[in-house]
Structure formats: structure tokens, C-alpha cells
């Protein structure tokens, strides 16, 4: 298994950059955790369609799109011992705590 530290560091870098850019933008925005999306894809897709000002048909298509979402991917790492070990190492990082990932397991 490849070492996940590089990917995790890159994720933290992307988050820091995204937050810095978003701080300069006054417009409304939507954000949500991947796991929250997987738990209720229909609601999130309809909310995004509405937020983007898409027509009613786009919101209705959210049901069809949500049916194709693989909800089993939520916290899929929990079943992999190597990834659980890595999770224990990083779960108390500032980003993990801030985004609600510190207490998944």
C-alpha cells in the first residue's frame, strides 16, 4: 500500500488554499462533507441545483443522480487496518478536528 502521508499533506494544503481564496470572495457558497453528501445525496444535489439557479427539471434529475451514488464509500477506510492506523496518527490534526473527522472511529 502506498504511503498516505503525501496525499494527506496535499489535502491539508488544498484546504488551506481553498480557505484563503474563499475568504476573499463575498459571494454565497455551499460546502459540505463528502460523508454528509453520501448520507443524503438527493437533498444535497437538490440544494446545489437550487443554489446554482438551475431549473426545476435539474432538481428533479437529482433523484436519478442520487440513485447512482455509492453510499458504501462513506468512511470506507474504517475496514482497512493500514488506513485505520494512519487515521489514528492524523485524526487530531487541526484540519481533521475542524472538519469533524477527529471522532470517526
Amino acid at each position: 500500500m502506498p504511503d498516505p502521508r503525501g496525499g494527506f499533506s496535499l489535502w491539508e494544503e488544498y484546504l488551506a488554499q481553498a480557505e484563503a481564496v474563499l475568504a476573499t470572495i463575498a459571494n454565497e457558497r455551499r460546502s459540505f462533507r463528502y460523508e454528509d453528501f453520501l448520507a443524503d445525496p438527493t437533498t444535497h444535489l437538490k440544494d446545489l441545483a437550487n443554489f446554482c439557479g438551475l431549473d426545476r427539471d435539474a432538481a428533479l434529475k437529482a433523484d436519478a443522480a442520487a440513485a447512482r451514488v455509492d453510499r458504501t464509500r462513506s468512511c470506507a477506510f474504517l475496514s482497512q487496518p493500514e488506513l485505520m492506523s494512519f487515521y489514528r496518527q492524523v485524526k487530531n490534526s487541526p484540519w481533521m478536528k475542524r472538519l469533524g473527522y477527529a471522532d470517526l472511529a
Side-chain angles (χ1 to χ4, degrees):
M1 169 177 275
D3 186 348
R5 287 180 289 197
F8 184 79
S9 294
L10 184 60
W11 176 72
E12 289 184 309
E13 245 181 83
Y14 284 168
L15 288 171
Q17 288 296 315
E19 185 174 80
V21 170
L22 289 173
T24 68
I25 299 171
N27 296 9
E28 291 182 47
R29 63 188 127 246
R30 290 287 189 271
S31 64
F32 46 86
R33 292 177 352 141
Y34 176 67
E35 291 76 14
D36 295 337
F37 171 78
L38 291 179
D40 190 2
T42 301
T43 298
H44 286 288
L45 289 170
K46 286 181 178 180
D47 179 57
L48 287 172
N50 185 45
F51 177 75
C52 293
L54 300 177
D55 61 24
R56 187 174 176 334
D57 288 338
L60 292 174
K61 290 178 184 175
D63 289 322
R68 296 190 312 258
V69 171
D70 182 359
R71 294 176 180 210
T72 66
R73 298 305 307 153
S74 182
C75 298
F77 74 94
L78 294 173
S79 64
Q80 299 180 37
E82 300 91 1
L83 294 178
M84 273 301 298
S85 176
F86 179 71
Y87 169 73
R88 285 188 212 93
Q89 294 172 33
V90 300
K91 73 179 196 168
N92 291 314
S93 77
W95 281 110
M96 293 289 276
K97 286 182 175 182
R98 184 173 179 181
L99 297 174
Y101 290 115
D103 297 315
L104 295 177

